[in-house]
Amino acid sequence: EVQLVESGGGLVQPGGSLRLSCAASGFTFSDHYMDWVRQAPGKGLEWVGRIRNKVNSYTTEYAASVKGRFTISRDDSKNSLYLQMNSLTTEDTAVYYCVRVDRQSAFDIWGQGTMVTVSS
Amino acid sequence: DTQMTQSPSSLSASVGDRVTITCRASQGISNHLAWIQQKPGKAPKSLIYAASSLQSGVPSKFSGSGSGTDFTLTISSLQPEDFATYYCQQYNSYPLTFGGGTKVEIK
């Protein structure tokens, strides 16, 4: 079964850091681009960023709202995706989803999400 | 950035109704358009990619059309499990962007 499972969410103070993980199973993780998408409470979906595969040099793209603060990385040997979040603000409070990108460049598989709350 | 505008933002419909949701892009995106369903308290689920292609396992009651700037999602016969929020999303250029969502409620 193709599956993405996020972890690492929790409560963090403004200005703090947090690292999210996404464990992939049931498919060849190394073949795929992978994205992070977030959803603030009661709001719509917001794209956070992307990491490409090894063939494409693991290059990354970020939303302007997180660029310079968030870093996406991956470890293909562990079938894992990561989101390092620094300098967090209350605006970063959201459920964070790990998403697989298919060969047509669209999202196809979503994780169940992990909640990040930034509050003092 | 490419802005995605959905309409309506919400609608009420009955079981068995045919429902159509529209999505307009602020600039041409070819057919690089996806539709995503989200039920309350659940993770999103991808329904359609390339404007009209169904993701694996998605029932044929869902259909999509359009190209360029104007797109539609149609549910041919609304069932209880279809009551959810639907988002369009463009993947033609960065940053990837979503529409504001259309909440489909029971009449």
Side-chain angles (χ1 to χ4, degrees), chain A residues 40-109:
Chain A
K43 303 297 185 182
L45 301 170
E46 179 188 17
W47 177 74
V48 172
R50 167 169 292 178
I51 187 165
R52 298 180 179 87
N53 54 15
K54 182 178 181 180
V55 168
N56 291 280
S57 304
Y58 299 128
T59 52
T60 54
E61 305 284 348
Y62 295 97
S65 58
V66 306
K67 195 170 185 178
R69 300 187 300 123
F70 289 13
T71 302
I72 299 174
S73 60
R74 62 192 295 164
D75 185 338
D76 290 347
S77 68
K78 295 182 179 179
N79 291 336
S80 292
L81 175 72
Y82 305 102
L83 180 65
Q84 177 66 45
M85 303 185 293
N86 298 331
S87 303
L88 286 161
T89 75
T90 56
E91 300 296 306
D92 297 315
T93 294
V95 176
Y96 285 74
Y97 296 101
C98 165
V99 192
R100 188 178 83 169
V101 180
D102 69 17
R103 286 166 177 78
Q104 289 76 34
S105 299
F107 297 155
D108 63 348
I109 304 296

Side-chain angles (χ1 to χ4, degrees), chain B residues 5-71:
Chain B
T5 303
Q6 284 183 239
S7 61
S9 57
S10 65
L11 65 89
S12 294
S14 300
V15 172
D17 283 354
R18 180 182 180 90
V19 168
T20 297
I21 299 168
T22 65
C23 178
R24 175 164 288 175
S26 62
Q27 59 193 48
I29 59 170
S30 184
N31 69 336
H32 300 141
L33 189 283
W35 289 98
I36 294 157
Q37 176 194 63
Q38 187 176 33
K39 297 180 182 179
K42 301 295 187 181
K45 175 185 176 182
S46 292
L47 297 178
I48 287 173
Y49 67 95
S52 61
S53 297
L54 292 180
Q55 289 284 359
S56 176
V58 174
S60 59
K61 62 181 172 181
F62 292 98
S63 63
S65 64
S67 184
T69 60
D70 294 308
F71 302 86

Side-chain angles (χ1 to χ4, degrees), chain A residues 6-56:
Chain A
E6 301 92 336
S7 60
L11 175 63
V12 59
Q13 292 189 336
S17 298
L18 205 60
R19 188 197 197 203
L20 306 184
S21 299
C22 171
S25 59
F27 66 99
T28 305
F29 178 75
S30 59
D31 284 351
H32 290 265
Y33 295 6
M34 296 294 298
D35 285 29
W36 289 96
V37 172
R38 68 183 180 182
Q39 186 170 37
K43 303 297 185 182
L45 301 170
E46 179 188 17
W47 177 74
V48 172
R50 167 169 292 178
I51 187 165
R52 298 180 179 87
N53 54 15
K54 182 178 181 180
V55 168
N56 291 280

